[in-house]
Amino acid sequence: MSVTYLLLASIFGVRPLVLGAEQEWSLYGANVEYGTELAARIGLVATVALTLGLIVDRLRPPTHARTTVHRVAAGASPYPLGMLPAVAISAASSVLWFLAMAVIGGGFSFVRQLASGRSAEIASRLEGVPVLLSAIPVAGVIVLCVARMALEQQRPLAKLEQILFLGAVVLAALPPLALGNRRLLLPVALAAVIAVCRPTWNRIVPLRLLVPALAIGMIIAALPFVRSAGSRVESGNLVESLVLFFQENGLGQTVRGFFVSYDTEMFDYIALVAPRLGDSMEFGGGRGTLGELLLQPIPAALSPWPTWSNTILTELFGGGCATVACPVPSVVGVLYFDLGIIGVAIGMLLLGLYLRTLERRLETAQGAPLVIVLTIASFMPSLIRGNTISQLWIAFNVLIVALALRFVLRRLHPERDRERSGALEALPSLPAQPGLR
């Protein structure tokens, strides 16, 4: 919920203020000033509706928590789903991705080329690579985090386990870092943060964590400027590129770059499209949500008709996302382009209701349901900020791989089910405590 509000405030609050002060209203050469007031109103409706959804959920009477607390009997294994095997599964998933890149690129020299940043040559070689391949390292981290959360319900992690967990997460972050792809980097980072914070979910965040959190946020904000084709700082590796970027731009310009670049250009895109809808352009009427969702599994070359998002781009810029320009509308834009302001109000109200449910499930879910919930939660920034339907398809691919990896992990530890039936004694569910979510 915090990330959702932060993104909405950045896109519909801070960006128009910054651009208004600088009088910069251009999106890929098109002047969008005439639509900024409408875009701001749409963002306001979305934020209010989201808040109402959260408030309505809070009005419901408290229920009993679904989590069952276990204690480990003497001689029982303290590794639900296997912590060390989970680390091995996650690390193997990342290594598998690098091996696949070597095969696709014709050797390990291509892997070294990936470390130098995105380029047109790399993009051409990766064209047509299925989303499922990129999902493998992220899925490995999801399974690893679920294993950690299950284990920490019985005992704290040992130092070695913490180190191995961190190492596996860093290894899984390397593939999206190599591609400059935050759509997959953020889920890796957020899944790890959720797993680490779950035992202290309702406690105040210590101040000592704010500095590293801000530092990681700045790195993520700067990543596109040093990894994207045509905008990469001239250096040999990611660390040197980031250092040079911060030396040349400073923290102030990095923060400003976040609000005036394509990180928050969803506001401009809505300002460009919204005034045309109902006039020179028609609303999607379901094509941008349900219709696009049905088309996601079909390769573009075999699709019977273009997606609604590409239809809008073609009408505006003369080509789809892969040919000319590819601004994304955010969940607010997806709802508005398809169903108008009523769609925004109802859709964001339902999202508010779901976010509260999602948070409760993160605290209480177990096993496969936790895999599902953690996958959705870790993709929430991408779902809010990007083209929501396409991001849902990526998250679905990650989920399928994660469930498959979890099945493998269970096969590696078949004794787990026997232990649960005999060695682990379940205590009654605990009632929800007042004041705690």
Side-chain angles (χ1 to χ4, degrees), residues 65-417:
R66 300 180 187 177
T67 302
T68 300
V69 180
H70 297 90
R71 61 171 175 261
V72 182
S77 169
Y79 293 93
L81 279 183
M83 186 61 190
L84 298 183
V87 170
I89 286 283
S90 179
S93 301
S94 302
V95 171
L96 178 62
W97 183 88
F98 282 105
L99 292 175
M101 288 298 104
V103 172
I104 292 171
F108 284 98
S109 60
F110 180 66
V111 177
R112 290 193 297 270
Q113 188 179 353
L114 288 174
S116 65
R118 285 192 291 180
S119 65
E121 180 183 353
I122 291 176
S124 63
R125 289 199 184 187
L126 296 179
E127 187 176 356
V129 174
V131 175
L132 200 67
L133 179 60
S134 300
I136 293 175
V138 186
V141 166
I142 296 291
V143 172
L144 172 65
C145 291
V146 168
R148 173 175 179 145
M149 287 188 278
L151 175 59
E152 286 193 314
Q153 285 189 310
Q154 299 184 6
R155 63 167 178 81
L157 260 66
K159 286 293 184 182
L160 177 60
E161 291 170 328
Q162 295 180 20
I163 294 172
L164 291 174
F165 175 84
L166 179 60
V169 171
V170 171
L171 184 60
L174 294 181
L177 279 173
L179 299 176
N181 189 344
R182 290 179 301 178
R183 290 177 300 177
L184 295 173
L185 178 61
L186 282 173
V188 169
L190 281 178
V193 168
I194 291 171
V196 171
C197 294
R198 195 195 199 196
T200 57
W201 191 260
N202 292 301
R203 297 181 186 176
I204 296 175
V205 177
L207 291 177
R208 68 178 184 275
L209 296 181
L210 293 182
V211 173
L214 289 173
I216 293 172
M218 296 296 288
I219 292 173
I220 292 175
L223 186 61
F225 299 101
V226 299
R227 304 301 287 174
S228 300
S231 62
R232 188 176 185 278
V233 177
E234 293 298 328
S235 180
N237 58 63
L238 175 63
V239 175
E240 292 178 5
S241 298
L242 286 170
V243 171
L244 287 175
F245 178 83
F246 287 123
Q247 287 177 345
E248 294 176 4
N249 296 276
L251 298 182
Q253 283 300 312
T254 302
V255 173
R256 177 190 173 277
F258 173 80
F259 291 112
V260 301
S261 69
Y262 43 76
D263 282 313
T264 53
E265 71 179 8
M266 306 85 214
F267 177 85
D268 298 47
Y269 189 36
I270 294 174
L272 176 65
V273 177
R276 293 174 163 82
L277 293 170
D279 186 12
S280 60
M281 297 174 62
E282 60 180 351
F283 288 94
R287 286 173 288 178
T289 49
L290 180 60
E292 190 143 334
L293 188 63
L294 294 174
L295 288 175
Q296 285 299 317
I298 305 175
L302 302 177
S303 179
W305 55 81
T307 59
W308 182 240
S309 56
N310 267 339
T311 299
I312 295 176
L313 290 172
T314 301
E315 186 164 343
L316 292 173
F317 301 106
C321 183
T323 55
V324 182
C326 197
V328 290
S330 77
V331 64
V332 178
V334 168
L335 293 170
Y336 188 84
F337 295 174
D338 200 36
L339 302 167
I341 198 68
I342 298 299
V344 173
I346 295 176
M348 296 303 287
L349 178 70
L350 294 176
L351 179 62
L353 290 168
Y354 181 71
L355 282 176
R356 182 68 71 188
T357 301
L358 184 68
E359 185 181 37
R360 281 198 302 268
R361 294 295 289 150
L362 277 172
E363 297 180 70
T364 62
Q366 306 289 327
L370 181 56
V371 174
I372 297 172
V373 170
L374 184 59
T375 301
I376 297 172
S378 62
F379 270 88
M380 192 55 65
S382 300
L383 297 173
I384 296 297
R385 175 192 169 275
N387 187 335
T388 306
I389 306 302
S390 64
Q391 297 305 314
L392 272 174
W393 173 241
I394 297 173
F396 177 75
N397 278 266
V398 170
L399 176 60
I400 294 300
V401 178
L403 290 173
L405 291 178
R406 182 178 181 274
F407 174 79
V408 172
L409 195 57
R410 287 175 64 89
R411 299 297 294 177
L412 292 175
H413 274 244
E415 73 278 2
R416 175 179 178 271
D417 293 328

